[in-house]
Amino acid sequence: MNRIDTELAKVLKSKIRSQGPLTFRDFMAVALYDEANGFYAQGPNIGSPDGPFDTNAKFPAFGYAMAQAINHAEKNIGCPLRILELGGGTGQLGKSIISFLQNPHEYVVLETSPGLRGTQEQKGLQAISNLKNLSPGPTFVFGNEVLDALPVHRVMGMGNEEVMEMYVDLDKDGEFFEQPGRLSTSELTERFRCEGIQLGRGQVAEVCLELKPFFQSVRQVLERGYVIFIDYGDSASNLYSHRHRNGTLRSYYHQQQIHDPFFAVGQQDLTADIDYTAVLSIGEEVGFEVDGPIPQGTWLRNLGIQAYCGSEGDRESDQEEINVLTKPAGLGSTFDVLIFKTRGLPAGPGLHPAS
Ligand SMILES: C[S@@+](CC[C@H](N)C(=O)[O-])C[C@H]1O[C@@H](n2cnc3c(N)ncnc32)[C@H](O)[C@@H]1O
């Protein structure tokens, strides 16, 4: 299929012509988050009930289970918690969670996209663009599929432990293509060194360096509480094995997977698997204790998702929802749950079956 010359593609091409190649990370940051024409700026219908993809956010049963997690966390901590959702998308999940909570809660969404903040506010949620004005307090923080939307660097193994970074440049026809160049930061090789990873010759891999600042900003507003991420990924040793010789970058256009990150710049989603090893060690580095990862299906069952059945619509459709969310053939093993807590708290909600 021919690429679409979107407005954002034109802007990026002109930038490359005048300033030279961009790291893939910088390209991806603009493609997803450019305020005027980025994929998320346009307020895409993420998790739309009509979309062909099953995502957690579109199932009320998931909102029910999240509300149980919040109740559990409040019992552990012994006081009401502010809820901070990271990357709230259309606000559908936030609205659903609130509907299942018995008492009113302060519910804040941290969201980079102005368009999506607007959509979230229309659903009655308080949406903020950064955490600067949020005072530290007892908080329940969570992010569903937010880490996989952070921009990633792409690198290529050259053999002999050497690694080069992938840059987005223009070919002789003025079309985007990727080519290896010098590393933009030594943090990339530092990450691999810490994880004991050596890429094979020609092996491509994604590295997310946004994780640490993201965790640090969250840690600062959390006096006591839990941070829960629901996402897809793997340990570094699996993620950077030969099974993923071409990396895990994926791209979706109109919710269909498309094997070209430059097909419709700004109109297509870009995402990569999470390096759980990095997430867990950064979480510890910024001062959290770590629980998990645990497969989503087990986590939801531990939280008592089964009690949702019959509480809303008819039992059959409720059960179908629960099955999609929990069964390994559905989302139950696609997603994992990573739980962080401030020091000294009991095990995170859903880590063990509710007694
Ligand atoms: C894949 S979507 C998931 C949306 C929603 N959580 C859901 O499950 O449907 C990722 C969301 O994270 C937001 N996002 C990405 N980077 C962010 C950041 N650094 N801080 C806050 N939100 C961010 C995006 O704008 C988008 O709303």
Side-chain angles (χ1 to χ4, degrees):
M1 273 203 292
N2 287 339
R3 289 178 180 170
I4 301 168
D5 204 18
T6 62
E7 275 311 305
L8 198 54
K10 288 183 188 134
V11 171
L12 281 164
K13 282 177 182 178
S14 131
K15 189 168 182 181
I16 293 171
R17 272 188 217 102
S18 63
Q19 296 173 21
L22 297 170
T23 61
F24 186 84
R25 183 255 162 234
D26 288 351
F27 167 85
M28 182 169 171
V30 175
L32 293 184
Y33 300 109
D34 177 80
E35 290 219 346
N37 292 307
F39 176 76
Y40 284 111
Q42 312 198 4
N45 221 357
I46 311 158
S48 144
D50 315 323
F53 279 140
D54 283 338
T55 75
N56 288 327
K58 80 180 196 185
F59 296 106
F62 191 78
Y64 171 86
M66 286 300 306
Q68 307 318 306
I70 292 163
N71 292 338
H72 184 145
E74 290 184 330
K75 241 187 234 162
N76 282 353
I77 296 179
C79 68
L81 296 175
R82 167 178 67 191
I83 302 164
L84 171 61
E85 180 174 1
L86 306 171
T90 58
Q92 188 177 6
L93 179 55
K95 194 172 166 203
S96 162
I97 293 172
I98 288 171
S99 76
F100 289 111
L101 287 170
Q102 268 169 358
N103 301 317
H105 281 72
E106 182 186 354
Y107 196 109
V108 184
V109 185
L110 172 71
E111 175 57 60
T112 36
S113 155
L116 289 174
R117 283 200 297 278
T119 316
Q120 292 156 8
E121 275 159 5
Q122 278 164 17
K123 292 203 170 74
L125 306 173
Q126 182 194 344
I128 55 173
S129 60
N130 61 64
L131 297 177
K132 280 186 216 137
N133 294 325
L134 211 60
S135 52
T139 312
F140 180 93
V141 185
F142 79 96
N144 182 58
E145 284 198 68
V146 65
L147 298 180
D148 68 68
L150 299 177
V152 290
H153 293 256
R154 299 235 302 159
V155 295
M156 183 186 268
M158 306 307 283
N160 302 328
E161 293 188 31
E162 200 196 335
V163 173
M164 294 190 87
E165 179 155 7
M166 303 307 286
Y167 285 78
V168 179
D169 203 350
L170 300 178
D171 66 14
K172 64 177 174 26
D173 299 319
E175 279 303 321
F176 293 116
F177 81 113
E178 272 185 286
Q179 65 168 340
R182 270 190 330 129
L183 291 181
S184 63
T185 163
S186 58
E187 280 183 72
L188 295 165
T189 37
E190 182 56 17
R191 170 75 60 79
F192 287 140
R193 196 190 58 74
C194 291
E195 294 180 334
I197 298 297
Q198 194 176 333
L199 297 181
R201 192 179 174 79
Q203 184 181 351
V204 174
E206 289 77 23
V207 180
C208 182
L209 297 180
E210 317 278 314
L211 292 172
K212 192 160 174 190
F214 196 57
F215 265 79
Q216 280 168 329
S217 63
V218 169
R219 181 68 191 85
Q220 275 165 15
V221 298
L222 201 71
E223 181 197 299
R224 259 178 317 150
Y226 294 93
V227 183
I228 296 185
F229 288 107
I230 304 109
D231 227 310
Y232 42 82
D234 215 330
S235 63
S237 56
N238 286 336
L239 197 61
Y240 299 128
S241 73
H242 280 270
R243 272 196 301 134
H244 299 293
R245 250 195 87 70
N246 298 316
T248 62
L249 181 76
R250 288 181 301 287
S251 171
Y252 298 92
Y253 178 68
H254 288 185
Q255 309 213 19
Q256 300 290 328
Q257 187 165 4
I258 185 128
H259 299 278
D260 179 3
F262 309 119
F263 176 71
V265 179
Q267 293 175 13
Q268 68 191 112
D269 194 6
L270 297 168
T271 177
D273 284 8
I274 307 303
D275 172 356
Y276 292 166
T277 309
V279 173
L280 297 175
S281 80
I282 288 169
E284 282 181 327
E285 229 180 284
V286 305
F288 290 120
E289 291 178 352
V290 172
D291 285 334
I294 173 171
Q296 168 170 301
T298 313
W299 187 67
L300 292 174
R301 280 194 296 272
N302 287 348
L303 288 170
I305 195 172
Q306 193 53 44
Y308 171 82
C309 189
S311 69
E312 287 289 291
D314 71 271
R315 294 188 71 82
E316 210 176 308
S317 65
D318 287 356
Q319 188 59 54
E320 242 173 68
E321 254 185 64
I322 294 170
N323 291 348
V324 173
L325 289 165
T326 58
K327 298 253 179 199
L331 302 176
S333 66
T334 305
F335 291 104
D336 294 297
V337 182
L338 294 91
I339 306 176
F340 301 87
K341 59 190 183 196
T342 50
R343 295 207 179 280
L345 290 184
L351 197 66
H352 305 297
S355 47

